[in-house]
Amino acid sequence: MINVTQSSLPPFEEYCDEIKQLWSSHWLTNMGEKHKLLQNQLEQYLKVKHVTLYTNGHLALEGALSVLDLKKGGEVITTPFTFASTTHAIVRSGFVPVFCDIKEADYTIDPEKIESLINENTVAILPVHVYGNLCDVDAIEKIAQKYHLKVLYDAAHAFGVQKNGVGVAGFGDMSMFSFHATKVFNTIEGGAVCFNDDQYIQVMNDMKNFGIRGTESCRYVGGNAKMNEFQASMGICNLRYIDQWIIQRKRVLDRYMDRLSGIKGIKLNTPRKDLKPNYAYFPVVFDGYQYTRDEITEKLQTLNIRARKYFYPLTCDFECYQDRFFYRDNSIPVARHIAERVLTLPIYPELEDSVIDLICDTIMM
Ligand SMILES: *Cc1c(COP(=O)(O)O)cnc(C)c1O
């Protein structure tokens, strides 16, 4: 069976070596040596001043929302073309998601449609770097400054992506990364919040450990979302291979591009020239093609190839949100159009050329 992705692992012995020290220190979690080392390495790699490590990306997102000093019940402008986590984090944190449409070109939030959604209840913008495509960060920054809004990026897809040599982790007030097993870089489960502003570092670190500071004071009503030493060890090992894995992903992308570009009704996602991409996903939009997206999905499924409809359904259409929100004017036509037609094809470092060819042949047959 071929899945849409396959978790990347370091050599087995290398991970064993890394965790061996834990048997002498008996320090398994609570910001130990591995946690510190991975944090420092990620600050270098992601080119950002502060990295706070979390047990998963979703709790990282909720953690970020909890320290940005946003008025409870306020509205957060976001997009429905994302993973459940983005919208759930907003709702679970006591805010109201307001859904903005996406751009046809790269599936990220359309900055031209943000301003009409802003009112006196708006507190923040939470855009998503979908498939590792960078949002229009400059336009978003301008709007945020004009209306004094906080900006938190869901960068779960954008590990290692750079714009003209600048790491994506530094855009907005904060950025969240996911290190889930299925992501480009993984710590089994894991995540991080990144930012350059010193004012957040202490509170972020305290909040993921019950709000405890030192041994005898508890400053905040925090939760528990710490990354443990086994997760951090996996991250330390995987980070040694990440650049070579990204190069191997590019090989897969190039082969798909060769086979599928220039075909009527098939739209591919071309990385922008000013970006250093991570090739996290290979989305294809079937629009006016001889087969529909759902027909292609089934054709592949009969060969045991599991492409995935990222993202369908839109989060605003989830059962749990029926009758709970309104999206003004229902103005998300592009998001709806893409969600009905997009399919992400398998991409991971070890994916063989013969399988890529089989997938392409199946799509074209
Ligand atoms: C994976 C993902 C998350 C959640 O990350 P976890 O580490 O799985 O909790 C959030 N947003 C997006 C867009 C994701 O793809």
Side-chain angles (χ1 to χ4, degrees), residues 254-261 263 356-357 360-361 364:
D254 286 344
R255 196 166 184 99
Y256 274 133
M257 282 288 188
D258 272 358
R259 297 288 317 272
L260 296 176
S261 54
I263 297 174
I356 302 169
D357 288 343
C360 295
D361 291 343
M364 289 186 291

Side-chain angles (χ1 to χ4, degrees), residues 56-58 82-83 85-86 128 154 156-157 176 178-180 183 190:
N56 62 56
H58 180 79
T82 184
F83 184 56
S85 173
T86 321
V128 185
D154 181 333
H157 292 187
M176 177 281 288
S178 164
F179 308 148
H180 183 257
K183 302 299 203 295

